[in-house]
């Protein structure tokens, strides 16, 4: 009995914290635990390295994006596209990508503009410039490419000239003839009714301007220009069949005259030079019309009347 109690005391003393003694781990279990711990630590370290590498790469991509944008020129378009694509892949700031895309778009637009400018320049030295259809297409292309105002204006003016000078269609010829006949009727009516057609006559010798009227004699053989200088009525009578009329600025004798050059631009634009001949002696009137429409109607009326009386 006394021997059993002694052994109990020894067991208690051997485990002073009152907990059962820990069992020793098997050698294989200890190795697996260490390996698992090391793997976890390795994964954490690798993840940290990947995050650092990702940020470093993003910074590198950003620098490449900036550098490519600053040095963007012909031949670098694809490099810029690749830089933008990479920036999107690595989640670069959206504002930086938007700005880079804007630079790329502007670069591409500028390339198109420059290419079209060169194409237009070559177009004006080629036979195609006389073709109204090809010129119209070039105007459309230049408009889309947003070429300079000067270049586009040059093309449009050429196209307008081709339109004006092109051969008329059958229905257009008919309409034009009717319009010219009507201008002639209006001119004859104005010249023979109500005291005549009022005009302003420019004296090319001294630059003076006088109010006058144009009338026609009953047989429509002679045209009369009746003026009033210092209250003295003057009449100039010229044969209708000898008449011809052009824009004042297109008549060399008028356009080179110093008094004509001294006129306001609008007055020069609305001037009409009417040529005539009396006994084979040439002469000329220079009329100043108030509007371009009246200028054109006067030219048409005089020309058609002269042709009709020839």
């Amino acid at each position: 009995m006394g021997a059993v109690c002694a052994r109990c005391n020894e067991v208690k003393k051997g485990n002073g914290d009152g907990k059962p003694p820990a069992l020793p781990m098997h050698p294989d279990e200890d190795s697996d635990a260490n390996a698992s711990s090391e793997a976890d630590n390795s994964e954490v370290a690798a993840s940290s390295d990947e995050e650092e590498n990702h940020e470093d790469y993003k910074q590198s991509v950003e620098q490449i994006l900036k550098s490519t944008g600053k040095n963007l020129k012909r031949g670098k378009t694809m490099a810029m596209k690749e830089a933008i694509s990479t920036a999107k892949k690595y989640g670069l700031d959206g504002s930086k990508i938007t700005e880079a895309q804007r630079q790329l778009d502007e670069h591409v637009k500028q390339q198109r503009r420059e290419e079209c400018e060169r194409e237009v320049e070559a177009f004006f030295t080629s036979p195609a410039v006389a073709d109204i259809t090809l010129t119209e297409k070039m105007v459309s292309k230049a408009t889309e490419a947003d070429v300079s105002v000067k270049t586009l204006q040059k093309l449009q003016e050429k196209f307008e000239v081709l339109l004006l000078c092109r051969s008329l269609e059958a229905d257009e010829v008919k309409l034009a003839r009717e319009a010219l006949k009507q201008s002639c009727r209006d001119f004859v009516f104005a010249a023979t009714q109500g005291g005549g057609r009022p005009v302003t006559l420019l004296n090319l010798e001294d630059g003076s301007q006088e109010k006058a009227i144009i009338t026609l004699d009953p047989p429509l053989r002679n045209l009369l220009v009746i003026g009033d200088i210092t209250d003295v009525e003057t009449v100039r009578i010229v044969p209708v069949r000898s008449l011809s009329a052009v824009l004042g600025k297109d008549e060399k004798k008028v356009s080179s005259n110093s008094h004509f050059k001294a006129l306001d631009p609008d007055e020069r634009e609305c001037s009409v030079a009417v040529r005539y001949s009396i006994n084979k002696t040439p002469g000329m009137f220079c009329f100043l019309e108030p509007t371009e429409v009246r200028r054109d109607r006067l030219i048409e009326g005089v020309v058609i009347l002269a042709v009709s009386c020839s």
Side-chain angles (χ1 to χ4, degrees):
M1 189 74 176
V4 174
C5 290
R7 288 180 180 177
C8 289
N9 288 335
E10 288 177 5
V11 171
K12 290 179 182 180
K13 287 180 181 179
N15 190 10
D17 55 4
K19 295 180 181 180
L23 298 173
M25 295 183 64
H26 190 277
D28 291 340
E29 293 179 356
D30 185 45
S31 176
D32 292 341
N34 290 336
S36 176
S37 177
E38 289 176 1
D40 291 342
N41 291 336
S42 177
E43 289 177 3
V44 171
S47 176
S48 177
D49 290 342
E50 287 179 2
E51 290 179 1
E52 291 179 2
N53 291 338
H54 184 78
E55 289 301 319
D56 290 343
Y57 201 83
K58 280 180 63 176
Q59 292 179 5
S60 297
V61 170
E62 182 177 348
Q63 290 300 320
I64 293 173
L65 200 62
K66 288 181 179 179
S67 176
T68 307
K70 289 181 180 179
N71 300 309
L72 194 56
K73 57 184 179 180
R74 182 174 295 277
K76 296 294 184 181
T77 304
M78 187 57 66
M80 189 62 171
K81 288 181 178 180
E82 291 177 354
I84 292 174
S85 177
T86 304
K88 291 178 179 179
K89 178 181 178 181
Y90 282 87
L92 205 65
D93 184 18
S95 61
K96 292 182 174 62
I97 296 175
T98 300
E99 175 61 19
Q101 187 64 55
R102 186 197 66 78
Q103 290 178 326
L104 177 60
D105 293 343
E106 184 59 35
H107 171 66
V108 172
K109 188 176 180 180
Q110 181 63 26
Q111 278 189 313
R112 288 183 59 199
R113 184 184 299 116
E114 292 174 354
E115 289 172 359
C116 191
E117 293 266 3
R118 288 191 292 271
E119 188 174 348
V120 170
E121 186 177 348
F123 179 77
F124 271 98
T125 62
S126 70
V129 74
D131 188 300
I132 189 170
T133 302
L134 295 178
T135 302
E136 184 178 17
K137 289 181 179 179
M138 184 57 70
V139 170
S140 299
K141 186 174 183 178
T143 302
E144 292 176 1
D146 194 25
V147 298
S148 67
V149 174
K150 183 179 179 180
T151 299
L152 184 59
Q153 183 177 356
K154 184 179 179 181
L155 268 174
Q156 289 174 332
E157 289 177 353
K158 180 61 180 179
F159 179 61
E160 290 171 3
V161 169
L162 291 175
L163 279 178
L164 292 174
C165 299
R166 68 184 172 86
S167 299
L168 297 178
E169 302 292 337
D171 57 338
E172 292 176 323
V173 171
K174 184 178 180 179
L175 289 173
R177 284 176 177 170
E178 289 302 318
L180 291 174
K181 288 179 182 179
Q182 188 59 47
S183 291
C184 184
R185 294 190 196 102
D186 294 341
F187 174 69
V188 171
F189 183 83
T192 57
Q193 302 293 324
R197 186 186 189 281
V199 292
T200 298
L201 184 62
L202 173 67
N203 189 323
L204 296 175
E205 293 182 1
D206 60 14
S208 62
Q209 299 181 22
E210 65 173 302
K211 298 297 181 180
I213 58 172
I214 296 175
T215 65
L216 295 166
D217 62 5
L220 301 183
R221 291 182 179 178
N222 295 306
L223 179 142
L224 293 75
V225 178
I226 304 174
D228 183 21
I229 302 176
T230 62
D231 297 328
V232 178
E233 189 177 83
T234 60
V235 180
R236 304 162 183 85
I237 304 175
V238 297
V240 168
R241 64 170 54 190
S242 72
L243 297 175
S244 63
V246 296
L247 296 175
K249 63 181 181 180
D250 291 340
E251 171 57 52
K252 187 176 181 180
K253 185 177 178 180
V254 174
S255 61
S256 62
N257 183 273
S258 59
H259 300 298
F260 179 80
K261 292 179 179 179
L263 296 174
D264 291 335
D266 290 342
E267 290 180 311
R268 293 197 299 270
E269 190 65 32
C270 294
S271 63
V272 176
V274 176
R275 308 186 193 99
Y276 61 86
S277 178
I278 301 176
N279 298 324
K280 297 184 179 181
T281 301
M284 184 181 299
F285 296 120
C286 183
F287 298 119
L288 304 179
E289 291 291 275
T291 66
E292 293 181 13
V293 173
R294 279 182 60 86
R295 173 204 69 189
D296 293 343
R297 298 295 86 80
L298 176 59
I299 293 174
E300 293 167 359
V302 169
V303 171
I304 299 303
L305 179 62
V307 171
S308 301
C309 295
S310 298

